[in-house]
Amino acid sequence: MLASSLSFLHSCGFPSSASSSSSSLSTLSQSNPKPFVVEAKVRTRREDRTARHTRIRKKVEGTPERPRLSVFRSNKHLSVQVIDDSSMHTLASASTMQKTFAEEFNYSAGPTVEVAKRMGEIIAKSCLEKGITKVAFDRGGYPYHGRVQALAEAAREHGLDF
């Protein structure tokens, strides 16, 4: 056998030669080597989403000419902001936590696709009132599906360009 394989076998607790197999077997049973355990890295869904969001934020930046439309989605609420990243200002915002919006929709299980469509209409109208027509869409690490997609399509239909 090669010297490198012998050193590996020796470090694992295996006998180094075939002639001393009976004596080395007794030493192996007495030494009790530790079992080899592989532990998986545990990441939560929130950590995965924030990692996706940071990757998106490296590419999407809000400017005064084209601010960023940022979406935050939770199980109970939906929040949208139009942000100018160069001056760090929120230009327009809408949320299901606002009193006027909460009174309009009476839901207990969380915002639905219909609520997201209405949020898209509201944010588009407030942006157009302030002279904002073009935005960069930031889905916040969420999949472009369901409420996020409904919000984006409603904002497009009501005059925002992205």
Side-chain angles (χ1 to χ4, degrees):
M1 295 184 123
L2 295 173
S4 62
S5 62
L6 286 176
S7 65
F8 170 74
L9 292 175
H10 180 67
S11 66
C12 293
F14 288 105
S16 59
S17 65
S19 64
S20 64
S21 63
S22 62
S23 65
S24 61
L25 285 177
S26 64
T27 58
L28 273 179
S29 62
Q30 294 171 359
S31 65
N32 280 340
K34 289 186 177 181
F36 183 68
V37 178
V38 177
E39 293 184 14
K41 187 183 259 187
V42 180
R43 289 184 57 168
T44 62
R45 291 178 64 169
R46 176 176 286 175
E47 290 170 341
D48 288 341
R49 183 195 72 82
T50 55
R52 281 191 303 271
H53 192 206
T54 53
R55 273 197 311 270
I56 291 169
R57 288 287 290 118
K58 288 178 186 176
K59 300 171 191 169
V60 177
E61 185 178 352
T63 61
E65 299 83 32
R66 191 180 185 102
R68 177 171 56 99
L69 179 77
S70 176
V71 177
F72 177 76
R73 183 192 82 180
S74 74
N75 288 339
K76 289 186 174 186
H77 296 287
L78 193 63
S79 177
V80 186
Q81 291 182 332
V82 178
I83 304 166
D84 176 11
D85 288 320
S86 61
S87 64
M88 303 267 205
H89 285 293
T90 300
L91 305 174
S93 67
S95 173
T96 56
M97 293 178 274
Q98 293 172 343
K99 191 173 241 182
T100 57
F101 196 83
E103 291 171 353
E104 183 179 341
F105 284 98
N106 187 13
Y107 58 87
S108 59
T112 60
V113 172
E114 290 78 26
V115 173
K117 286 180 184 177
R118 182 71 180 125
M119 289 282 293
E121 293 174 22
I122 290 171
I123 197 71
K125 287 179 184 176
S126 74
C127 284
L128 293 175
E129 287 174 1
K130 295 177 181 179
I132 301 167
T133 56
K134 290 185 176 184
V135 294
F137 187 69
D138 175 13
R139 59 187 175 90
Y142 302 107
Y144 188 78
H145 180 76
R147 292 177 280 169
V148 176
Q149 182 180 5
L151 187 142
E153 289 174 354
R156 273 193 200 104
E157 288 172 6
H158 290 275
L160 282 184
D161 183 30
F162 56 94

